[in-house]
Amino acid sequence: MSSAFLQCISCAAIFPTTQPLYQCSHCGDLLDVNYTLDPLDPTEIKERWRQRRLSRRPIDISGVWRYRELIPFYGQEENIITYPEGNTALLSAPRSARYAGLRSLQVKHQGFNPTGSFKDNGMTTGVTQAQILGMRAVMCASTGNTSASMAAYAARAGMLGIVFIPEGQVAFGKLAQSLDFGALTLQIRGDFDVAMSLVREIAPEIGIYILNSVNPFRLEGQKTIAIELLDQRGWDVPDRIVVPGGNLGNSSSLGKGFKELYDWGFIDHMPRITIVQAEGADPLYKTITSADQESLVTVYARTLATAIKIGRPVSWKKAMRAMTWTDGWVTEVSEQEIADAKAIIGQDGIGCEPASATTLAGVRKLMNQGTDKPISDDEDIVLLLTGQVLKDPDYTVRYHRGELYEDYVTETRVIHSTGKIRSTYANAPIEVPPDKEVIKRLIEERLSQLPKI
Ligand SMILES: *Cc1c(COP(=O)(O)O)cnc(C)c1O
């Protein structure tokens, strides 16, 4: 039998998994879920995972629990709370490739998850652990997607979800989900970082389990994104995988996933992980480019990509570790670069939310720029798209209508604005009278602009 334990990432102290714990009680640093594993035969297990795709059991269908040999903390299968989740598409993105200057490019779209973001990959394991601990309620601070996901999984598990969101800074699609799934939704007058501190103080005092990515069980589920990606590619390891960086749970869990696959003999080398942040929310970029990489450079976060609007990321040390393990790098991109990259991903018929588009913008930037870690045009790259396009329709419509600003206040219409963003690839709706001839002329004009075959 495999067994799981919690282990501090700094002082290596070990704790049992039988109580809620988010940081080392000796040195205060973050915890990993680690395992003593039975001997594994990677060839046999890879085949077992493929066979499970034929199964009708929810835990085999789930793109997280299918790989349960590598997340064996759940005790008995009856404990598992699965939607199911995962099984996200791996797509080729030729227009995006051209835009970045690459020969080809793949995207793995975590927006194909049940609540529309990669948070579901981690929420299934987090809520499963909550179930094991006998929790009746779970809590998180969120820029939107964590709350949407937690609200859904809590409802599925019969627990109360309690979400803290920064007032006025959460995309509408995400707020809608949290309300619809019955979570107690508290709008905090403050930003994400304020909401996060409140959760960390309040939850332990009233015995409620925290499901932010400070919870190491969340990261165990997100780790399986790495496994599923390689399974989908027939275990052909890409040169590089590119992810947006917010609270840095996702990049941390990918790092742990690839490292374990390497240590346990499933792959013979690791892909490089590249993390991309928004210029206005770039604490990891500032930290990794500073002389002293031992302490986090915090920022007051500003970006329209609300999912990564975080100035004090909880998992920064785990993300730094992932950079070391995989010879990775961090870069940052502007609001204009994010907006345009998002429109290009849309032109591939894929779409994503603004935070996800940092990945394409980041690759394009590293291709063009004279950096010390440049990308070459024949690299085999996978972008991890984190959330789906319908999460933040306001942003997308504003961009295509030419009404997107870095800073704006709305009351059904824009009343104050500065820092207009160019709608470079806008596809605005066109107002037309209900007149057949006018409409036909308009369509014919557009047809005449199509390239000749
Ligand atoms: C949560 C989230 C991120 C940021 O992920 P971290 O693990 O916090 O770095 C990026 N994009 C989307 C869509 C998200 O929901």
Side-chain angles (χ1 to χ4, degrees), residues 3-196:
S3 63
F5 52 90
L6 295 168
Q7 186 164 31
C8 174
I9 64 165
S10 290
C11 74
I14 286 176
F15 308 92
T17 60
T18 46
Q19 51 181 317
L21 199 64
Y22 315 101
Q23 54 195 113
C24 177
S25 47
H26 303 300
C27 75
D29 221 326
L30 296 170
L31 301 170
D32 278 327
V33 182
N34 284 335
Y35 306 97
T36 325
L37 287 185
D38 296 335
L40 295 172
D41 175 352
T43 314
E44 189 268 317
I45 290 178
K46 286 175 185 174
E47 184 52 32
R48 196 187 304 170
W49 290 339
R50 284 203 67 70
Q51 290 302 323
R52 283 187 186 148
R53 289 176 185 271
L54 298 173
S55 165
R56 293 194 180 89
R57 299 177 70 207
I59 62 166
D60 292 338
I61 293 168
S62 164
V64 171
W65 296 102
R66 180 180 303 132
Y67 306 105
R68 56 191 175 272
E69 282 80 0
L70 302 194
I71 48 171
F73 69 85
Y74 55 87
Q76 277 146 21
E77 291 179 354
E78 294 68 46
N79 291 329
I80 293 174
I81 308 283
T82 178
Y83 209 108
E85 49 289 308
N87 297 305
T88 60
L90 183 62
L91 305 161
S92 67
R95 289 185 187 81
S96 301
R98 224 172 302 131
Y99 179 71
L102 289 164
R103 285 183 213 167
S104 66
L105 182 63
Q106 283 186 311
V107 303
K108 182 160 174 61
H109 207 323
Q110 295 308 110
F112 284 43
N113 267 299
T115 78
S117 82
F118 75 81
K119 300 302 194 297
D120 295 339
N121 295 78
M123 209 50 77
T124 183
T125 46
V127 170
T128 294
Q129 177 63 10
Q131 174 93 347
I132 292 168
L133 294 172
M135 294 288 167
R136 294 173 54 226
V138 286
M139 190 184 275
C140 71
S142 176
T143 60
N145 280 333
T146 301
S147 56
S149 180
M150 193 190 78
Y153 278 86
R156 304 288 301 160
M159 296 175 197
L160 174 67
I162 306 169
V163 310
F164 287 51
I165 55 175
E167 190 169 11
Q169 297 179 34
V170 168
F172 239 55
K174 308 176 187 181
L175 177 60
Q177 288 175 297
S178 159
L179 299 176
D180 215 34
F181 301 150
L184 174 62
T185 304
L186 307 175
Q187 295 195 311
I188 308 297
R189 253 170 263 126
D191 61 10
F192 170 83
D193 297 299
V194 171
M196 188 69 244

Side-chain angles (χ1 to χ4, degrees), residues 209-423:
Y209 200 44
I210 301 178
L211 280 177
N212 279 99
S213 51
V214 66
N215 183 321
F217 291 92
R218 275 262 318 269
L219 302 198
E220 287 307 285
Q222 289 171 212
K223 174 180 104 175
T224 65
I225 297 169
I227 310 175
E228 185 179 81
L229 168 68
L230 294 180
D231 186 9
Q232 283 169 312
R233 289 174 50 106
W235 298 93
D236 174 22
V237 180
D239 295 319
R240 187 186 300 267
I241 172 149
V242 187
V243 282
N247 220 5
L248 300 170
N250 205 26
S251 36
S252 298
S253 48
L254 288 171
K256 186 171 188 280
F258 287 122
K259 176 75 160 48
E260 288 176 349
L261 287 170
Y262 177 76
D263 287 346
W264 297 337
F266 287 75
I267 50 178
D268 61 10
H269 67 286
M270 286 184 261
R272 287 175 146 176
I273 296 176
T274 301
I275 301 174
V276 190
Q277 297 199 297
E279 279 176 2
D282 62 347
L284 190 71
Y285 178 74
K286 283 207 165 71
T287 303
I288 209 166
T289 52
S290 70
D292 164 31
Q293 301 188 347
E294 297 299 306
S295 54
L296 178 70
V297 182
T298 61
V299 305
Y300 178 74
R302 296 172 61 90
T303 171
L304 295 178
T306 49
I308 51 171
K309 189 175 175 187
I310 293 173
R312 222 184 318 142
V314 166
S315 294
W316 73 275
K317 278 194 190 166
K318 287 185 176 177
M320 293 287 274
R321 184 176 72 169
M323 297 295 91
T324 308
W325 282 341
T326 70
D327 188 25
W329 192 239
V330 188
T331 190
E332 59 174 358
V333 290
S334 69
E335 296 296 301
Q336 182 69 55
E337 288 169 314
I338 296 170
D340 286 339
K342 179 173 143 19
I344 297 291
I345 293 167
Q347 287 183 6
D348 261 320
I350 295 172
C352 62
E353 65 172 281
S356 311
T358 56
T359 53
L360 179 61
V363 171
R364 179 174 152 104
K365 182 168 178 181
L366 290 177
M367 295 282 307
N368 287 338
Q369 210 186 52
T371 77
D372 48 347
K373 302 248 184 182
I375 294 178
S376 70
D377 70 352
D378 59 353
E379 263 193 45
D380 178 4
I381 300 181
V382 179
L383 307 182
L384 203 82
L385 300 185
T386 44
Q388 76 121 295
V389 65
L390 293 176
K391 289 280 193 174
D392 193 354
D394 186 58
Y395 180 105
T396 306
V397 173
R398 279 184 190 287
Y399 176 88
H400 287 290
R401 283 200 165 137
E403 293 171 359
L404 186 62
Y405 302 88
E406 281 192 29
D407 223 336
Y408 64 91
V409 180
T410 53
E411 282 181 1
T412 66
R413 64 193 176 84
V414 176
I415 50 168
H416 166 77
S417 56
T418 55
K420 179 159 189 336
I421 291 181
R422 257 175 294 117
S423 297

